[in-house]
Amino acid sequence: MTRLALVTGASRGIGRGIARALAAAGYRVAANYRANDDAARSLTEEHAIPAYKWNVADYQASREGVERVVADHGAIDILVNNAGISPDRFMHKMGDDVWRQVIDTNLNGYFNVTHQVIAPMRKAGFGRIVNIASLSAFAPNYGETAYGAAKGAIISFTKALAKESIARGVTVNAVAPGYIDTDMVRVAPQEWLDDLVRNHIPAGRLGRVEDVARCVLFLVADEADFITGATVDVNGGQIMR
């Protein structure tokens, strides 16, 4: 049977692009989303990708959501952790509620969903987990103390889980996008974006969701069984590690 992929935060932006690319490549895909019913409905109507609504920051909701996906479609072979928020704040202006929201969604949310699938993957002897990190894990911008901390922690989460899992046929990798042309980036002032592209991204453009999706497709393939614990940068050369 064709492998089943679950993509979190898939109603818009990078997550939607990944879900579409997986479906186009022949995978069965289920999409998680938190709030945007219209975007989720269009994903289902236009691309035949079923959408499941729950907040990944809630452990019990994640457990019940994954159970619904499995009941409807069978075991999850591939998990792409993508759901995230980015309410940038300077530390001295940040309330603890903002900090907790970012950490609960962008870090704890990855645990909450992964915890539901890792044991079945190990038992099956196959699994692919891809965690969407960020350039901000290595070069956070102003106002990204919470976001950068969460994305940096995802890199360590990826490495530790990869070491635990590879002997059971489960690979765990991360993709770290730079500035991708999505709604989240387009809220920035155009003058700032123009300077970013002209002076800081050697490729001379913003990334596209397809750039990220192609990396995910590579990492989830059956043939990628010797690649684990890696982080793939998708940033047009903005930082080179």
Side-chain angles (χ1 to χ4, degrees):
M1 181 179 290
T2 305
R3 298 206 183 280
L4 174 65
L6 171 62
V7 183
T8 69
S11 63
R12 298 186 299 168
I14 290 173
R16 187 184 183 97
I18 292 169
R20 290 175 56 186
L22 286 165
Y27 294 94
R28 294 179 299 133
V29 182
N32 152 268
Y33 75 105
R34 181 179 64 87
N36 195 322
D37 294 326
D38 290 339
R41 188 178 304 111
S42 71
L43 184 66
T44 301
E45 293 174 352
E46 296 172 16
H47 304 285
I49 297 173
Y52 294 79
K53 185 176 184 178
W54 80 82
N55 183 359
V56 299
D58 184 321
Y59 182 86
Q60 185 61 29
S62 296
R63 180 177 182 178
E64 294 170 358
V66 170
E67 287 175 348
R68 291 199 306 273
V69 172
V70 172
D72 290 347
H73 305 287
I76 295 167
D77 306 293
I78 297 163
L79 170 63
V80 182
N81 283 309
N82 166 78
I85 58 174
S86 181
D88 293 352
R89 301 283 193 283
F90 281 99
M91 174 64 82
H92 65 281
K93 296 181 178 180
M94 183 190 302
D96 69 313
D97 58 329
V98 173
W99 174 271
R100 294 179 189 281
Q101 287 168 13
V102 173
I103 299 301
D104 282 346
T105 301
N106 296 17
L107 178 57
N108 295 340
Y110 282 37
F111 167 82
N112 292 342
V113 180
T114 303
H115 199 239
Q116 314 311 318
V117 304
I118 188 63
M121 285 180 176
R122 288 170 62 91
K123 184 176 181 180
F126 179 89
R128 297 286 183 268
I129 298 173
V130 179
N131 298 317
I132 304 303
S134 171
L135 176 150
S136 296
F138 312 103
N141 213 330
Y142 290 103
E144 290 190 338
T145 50
Y147 185 78
K151 292 300 186 180
I154 286 166
I155 303 300
S156 293
F157 173 82
T158 297
K159 292 177 179 179
L161 186 59
K163 186 169 288 189
E164 294 179 6
S165 307
I166 186 60
R168 298 291 181 141
V170 180
T171 66
V172 188
N173 293 287
V175 175
Y179 287 91
I180 306 299
D181 192 3
T182 63
D183 293 343
M184 183 182 292
V185 169
R186 281 293 174 187
V187 299
Q190 188 61 47
E191 181 179 351
W192 185 87
L193 288 173
D194 291 342
D195 176 73
L196 173 72
V197 169
R198 183 170 55 249
N199 297 315
H200 301 283
I201 303 178
R205 65 172 174 85
L206 294 175
R208 305 183 183 99
V209 295
E210 293 82 4
D211 297 321
V212 182
R214 280 190 289 269
C215 282
V216 173
L217 284 174
F218 171 73
L219 292 170
V220 303
D222 283 17
E223 297 80 5
D225 60 344
F226 203 61
I227 302 171
T228 197
T231 298
V232 181
D233 295 331
V234 186
N235 61 41
Q238 186 173 353
I239 65 168
M240 301 182 186
R241 300 183 297 116

